[in-house]
């Protein structure tokens, strides 16, 4: 458990580094936020996400803790940018895993191939959607969609129209990263993607005590399949059951014991409880 717990301090550091790249735009207020403060916020925010439905409670927390240093608009837009960076890196993570899976598993059934193609197309479409968000912003558009909701639509429309100037300003801050700071954009995305691969090491470490020979590539595919399943069923509180089922499905698909998947699921829960405690 020492390397399993320990590898996540590296993952969290890379997450904080990715957010730090987004925030650091040369303005005086951006210099107020150190990467060590962002590391503490990252650990705390993930702990909140582990405990809240849909796993989104940590992002408002980060925005609230950063608003004194960055201002409300920049804090909110920076956190939203990081959330998008986190998801787009996941789309690339899943996309890359498909050719890797086909390469190491030459005997792939027609049903699995259909699923892989569906995931491939979905990832490509989601990456294009992410690109549109990065270039145009998302807040005003999301609220416009929200005006169609029953019961709350009228209140959302009033809020949108009353705060149009502030919403446009936040969307401008979101689009500025890709439009005017492309180097920072791709650096943040790369760092976030690397953190996904570092997190795969925990599965590699978990297999060692069982004397089961799991390569890093297999560990990567196990994490890719399990996280894909867990995100499809994102509405499950704390991903209870869906993540464990994802690990079992992943290990059996790779011709590994099903018990390994259940064991990995249990170990990840223990790791989460450890970092919640921290």
């Amino acid at each position: 458990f020492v390397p399993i717990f320990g590898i996540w301090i590296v993952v969290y550091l890379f997450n904080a580094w990715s957010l730090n790249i987004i925030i650091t735009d040369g303005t005086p207020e951006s210099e107020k936020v150190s990467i060590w403060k962002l590391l503490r916020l990252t650990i705390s925010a993930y702990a909140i996400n582990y405990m809240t439905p849909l796993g989104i409670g940590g992002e408002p927390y980060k925005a609230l803790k950063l608003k004194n240093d960055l201002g409300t608009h920049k804090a909110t837009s920076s956190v939203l940018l990081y959330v998008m960076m986190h998801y787009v890196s996941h789309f690339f993570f899943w996309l890359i895993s498909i050719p890797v899976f086909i390469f190491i598993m030459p005997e792939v059934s027609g049903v699995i191939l259909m699923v892989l193609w569906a995931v491939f197309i979905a990832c490509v479409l989601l990456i294009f959607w992410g690109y549109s968000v990065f270039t145009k912003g998302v807040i005003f558009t999301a609220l416009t969609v929200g005006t169609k909701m029953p019961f709350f639509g009228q209140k959302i429309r009033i809020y949108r129209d009353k705060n149009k100037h502030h919403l446009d300003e936040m969307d401008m801050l979101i689009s500025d990263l890709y439009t005017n700071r492309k180097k920072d954009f791709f650096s943040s995305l790369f760092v976030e993607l690397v953190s996904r691969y570092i997190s795969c090491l925990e599965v590699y470490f978990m297999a060692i005590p069982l004397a089961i020979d799991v390569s890093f590539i297999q560990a990567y595919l196990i994490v890719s399949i399990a996280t894909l399943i867990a995100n499809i069923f994102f509405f499950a509180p704390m991903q209870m059951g869906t993540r464990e089922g994802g690990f079992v499905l992943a290990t059996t698909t790779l011709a590994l014991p099903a018990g390994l998947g259940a064991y990995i699921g249990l170990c990840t829960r223990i790791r989460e409880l450890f970092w919640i405690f921290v």
Side-chain angles (χ1 to χ4, degrees):
F1 275 105
V2 172
I4 293 168
F5 295 156
I7 198 65
W8 275 82
I9 192 65
V10 182
V11 175
Y12 291 142
L13 183 59
F14 269 69
N15 296 150
W17 184 13
S18 177
L19 178 56
N20 186 60
I21 293 170
I22 292 170
I23 290 172
T24 307
D25 57 1
T27 57
E29 61 266 21
S30 67
E31 303 298 328
K32 297 178 184 178
V33 184
S34 70
I35 192 167
W36 303 116
K37 179 174 182 176
L38 293 177
L39 177 60
R40 295 196 300 272
L41 288 178
T42 298
I43 293 170
S44 301
Y46 269 103
I48 294 170
N49 283 343
Y50 292 148
M51 296 185 290
T52 52
L54 306 182
I56 57 174
E59 315 320 318
Y61 162 79
K62 271 195 283 195
L64 285 170
K65 297 296 283 186
L66 289 170
K67 74 173 185 177
N68 290 336
D69 293 321
L70 302 176
T72 302
H73 295 165
K74 183 171 174 56
T76 304
S77 61
S78 296
V79 171
L80 284 172
L81 270 170
Y82 174 74
V83 171
M84 285 304 303
M85 205 68 74
H86 180 78
Y87 281 118
V88 171
S89 70
H90 245 135
F91 302 150
F92 277 109
F93 184 77
W94 294 326
L95 192 67
I96 296 167
S97 71
I98 293 170
V100 173
F101 180 86
I102 293 172
F103 179 76
I104 73 163
M105 296 288 290
E107 298 291 329
V108 180
S109 69
V111 174
I112 292 178
L113 273 176
M114 287 176 60
V115 172
L116 291 175
W117 274 110
V119 172
F120 183 89
I121 293 168
C123 287
V124 170
L125 292 174
L126 287 167
I127 288 169
F128 275 111
W129 170 73
Y131 171 78
S132 70
V133 170
F134 284 126
T135 53
K136 300 176 184 176
V138 70
I139 299 173
F140 190 83
T141 303
L143 288 176
T144 300
V145 173
T147 60
K148 312 295 183 185
M149 293 173 59
F151 307 114
F152 302 105
Q154 184 62 29
K155 290 185 177 180
I156 292 173
R157 182 180 293 106
I158 294 169
Y159 176 82
R160 182 201 63 181
D161 296 341
K162 184 179 178 181
N163 297 278
K164 185 177 186 303
H165 174 71
H166 297 309
L167 297 173
D168 288 342
E169 182 183 347
M170 285 192 284
D171 275 336
M172 185 189 69
L173 288 168
I174 290 172
S175 62
D176 178 69
L177 180 67
Y178 181 81
T179 306
N180 300 317
R181 298 167 54 205
K182 278 190 172 62
K183 183 180 177 182
D184 289 341
F185 173 85
F186 287 109
S187 296
S188 178
L189 179 60
F190 177 75
V191 169
E192 189 64 23
L193 182 59
V194 169
S195 75
R196 309 268 80 76
Y197 288 98
I198 294 172
S199 69
C200 297
L201 285 170
E202 72 169 351
V203 172
Y204 178 79
F205 292 141
M206 288 171 186
I208 291 173
L210 300 184
I212 296 175
D213 187 21
V214 174
S215 67
F216 178 79
I217 296 296
Q218 288 176 312
Y220 163 43
L221 293 175
I222 289 170
V223 173
S224 178
I225 296 170
T227 54
L228 178 63
I229 298 297
N231 278 274
I232 289 172
F233 296 98
F234 66 92
F235 47 82
M238 295 185 72
Q239 299 178 337
M240 291 297 283
T242 60
R243 186 193 302 170
E244 287 76 9
F247 280 123
V248 171
L249 178 64
T251 51
T252 53
T253 302
L254 295 171
L256 293 168
L260 175 64
Y263 161 78
I264 292 170
L266 177 60
C267 287
T268 56
R269 295 293 180 190
I270 296 170
R271 181 259 299 163
E272 284 181 358
L273 289 170
F274 173 83
W275 282 106
I276 289 170
F277 173 78
V278 171

